[in-house]
Amino acid sequence: MKHQVTLIPGEGIGPEVARATRRILEAAGVQIEWEEIAGRAAGPSDHNQRVNQEAIRSVRRNRVALKGPMATAIAGGAPSVNVALRKSLDLYANLRPVKNIPGVKSHFEGVDLTIVRENTEDLYSGLEHEVVPGVVESLKIITEKASTRIARFAFDYARRHGRKKIHAIHKANIMKMSDGLFLRSVRTVAAQFPEIQYQELIVDNACMQMVMDPLQFDMLLLPNLYGDVMSDLAAGLVGGLGVVPSANIGDDCAMFEAVHGTAPDIAGKGLANPTALLMSALLMLDHIGEHVAAERIQAALLKTYQEGIYTTRDVGGKANTEQFTNAVLDALGAITSK
Ligand code: NAI
């Protein structure tokens, strides 16, 4: 069966890691017809921060997308095109599996946790205004509907993937109303999944526990802001943003993307590590039912890291993107001909 997938290569190193990922998927024999499209609307680059409406239509049509990073201005400028894409497509669940890759230097071994972050509201609602000069208000929006929806996603995921325990992370001791509503909504859903252990942790304690003993965690369920911070923190435990995947999932479509940015310091130099986008593509293969190909590519990736000859500079190696990609392709060939 041929799958139709929207490919948004993105900017900076995006096209480089997208090309490498596409080569590996094709070599594994997955039948994909890529609909390649820019995520940002065409126009003068400095002023045009708008999302490409055609990209949104393409993802809606194909229901699956693979996406590279896109740049966002800091402290001013237009809102993020990445966030606009996720919001327009109502991709409410951000899924971040965090697991060691043998051969990648990390602070801990044996980490295997899954983070589920609410993706549509909280302090990322974009509702900010200046009350009077020198005073700015940012609105934190928490709704029962979105909190219940993300909790249901997390508990369903735990049930389907044999996960045993979920920690809901909050600051309801201080934000009694907003985080309180989040917690109450999660508790209602948790009660419907008695086989999954349910616990709650205040976010500051959770951060401390995470860097002291990450192996105690199985799944974390968080509102948007804490989820953003803690998922990068967790990535740091296993080697950083270059080696963890991410998926943004909604009821109608899903977009799989690397969590790192456009890496302007190395863009165009052929040095980028495609692992994060490749691993996100493996989540995508599972999502579209290509489990065998996903497992084979995963095995080739692990073999490449275990051998440790052709790894990229960000993980302490010397290889460039091309050499690393060729090593994965060689490993894939060896696995396939076994
Ligand atoms: P970044 O992730 O682009 O870079 C941070 C550091 O990690 C740099 O030294 C970079 O060279 C390195 N790095 C990142 N990915 C790498 C890879 N695949 N291989 C090798 N090295 C890699 O973060 P930064 O500099 O904060 O952001 C740059 C731009 O990317 C900004 O405009 C930001 O808004 C955007 N961004 C976009 C994201 C997305 O599209 N989802 C996510 C994060 C940032």
Side-chain angles (χ1 to χ4, degrees), residues 156-173:
D156 273 339
Y157 181 95
R159 185 174 271 174
R160 278 186 287 116
H161 291 82
R163 294 277 173 177
K164 305 268 179 288
K165 187 167 58 177
I166 294 184
H167 280 87
I169 310 298
H170 66 94
K171 190 80 188 177
N173 50 332

Side-chain angles (χ1 to χ4, degrees), residues 4-281:
Q4 296 268 350
V5 175
T6 301
L7 176 64
I8 302 173
E11 299 158 349
I13 60 168
E16 300 167 50
V17 291
R19 203 176 311 119
T21 301
R22 195 172 158 166
R23 277 182 69 199
I24 294 167
L25 262 56
E26 280 165 8
V30 191
Q31 297 290 309
I32 294 181
E33 194 168 312
W34 299 100
E35 198 169 292
E36 190 169 327
I37 191 156
R40 195 185 300 275
S45 57
D46 285 352
H47 306 291
N48 203 324
Q49 294 282 345
R50 283 178 303 113
V51 62
N52 180 3
Q53 293 301 319
E54 190 44 53
I56 292 176
R57 280 192 284 275
S58 170
V59 183
R60 285 213 180 104
R61 205 166 41 238
N62 296 326
R63 306 187 70 182
V64 185
L66 183 65
K67 175 189 160 294
M70 290 193 286
T72 308
I74 292 176
S80 160
V81 172
N82 300 305
V83 174
L85 262 174
R86 290 174 210 145
K87 277 195 177 168
S88 311
L89 295 162
D90 198 20
L91 304 175
Y92 61 85
N94 180 234
L95 181 70
R96 297 267 295 259
V98 177
K99 205 172 168 175
N100 289 99
I101 297 184
V104 174
K105 221 173 122 206
S106 63
H107 297 285
F108 292 92
E109 292 301 326
V111 176
D112 180 5
L113 64 104
T114 299
I115 298 180
V116 173
R117 160 188 168 195
E118 204 288 324
N119 229 359
T120 63
E121 54 180 29
D122 195 355
L123 274 163
Y124 292 58
S125 57
L127 299 171
E128 288 193 317
H129 68 116
E130 190 178 54
V131 183
V132 290
V135 181
V136 165
E137 189 173 48
S138 280
L139 298 183
K140 172 171 165 125
I141 306 293
I142 297 285
T143 65
E144 185 178 354
K145 186 176 168 209
S147 304
T148 304
R149 178 167 77 160
I150 196 67
R152 192 168 296 287
F153 176 92
F155 279 88
D156 273 339
Y157 181 95
R159 185 174 271 174
R160 278 186 287 116
H161 291 82
R163 294 277 173 177
K164 305 268 179 288
K165 187 167 58 177
I166 294 184
H167 280 87
I169 310 298
H170 66 94
K171 190 80 188 177
N173 50 332
I174 304 296
M175 278 159 280
K176 294 177 191 294
M177 288 189 75
S178 53
D179 283 14
L181 176 59
F182 175 77
L183 272 190
R184 282 199 305 281
S185 310
V186 175
R187 283 176 195 159
T188 305
V189 174
Q192 296 157 24
F193 292 80
E195 79 277 20
I196 316 264
Q197 261 187 64
Y198 173 67
Q199 282 170 264
E200 295 168 356
L201 269 185
I202 294 174
V203 63
D204 35 359
N205 179 27
C207 288
M208 189 269 288
Q209 300 275 348
M210 181 76 105
V211 295
M212 298 279 290
D213 177 20
L215 273 61
Q216 67 180 294
F217 294 113
D218 189 9
M219 281 186 70
L220 303 185
L221 168 58
L222 315 93
N224 208 343
L225 176 62
Y226 313 143
D228 194 4
V229 176
M230 280 201 77
S231 51
D232 277 20
L233 186 152
L237 301 173
V238 299
L241 296 183
V243 293
V244 291
S246 154
N248 294 292
I249 299 176
D251 288 333
D252 300 322
C253 42
M255 191 163 72
F256 298 81
E257 62 178 315
V259 285
H260 59 71
T262 55
D265 51 338
I266 57 163
K269 296 183 180 161
L271 298 175
N273 182 358
T275 301
L277 190 63
L278 179 61
M279 291 177 72
S280 305

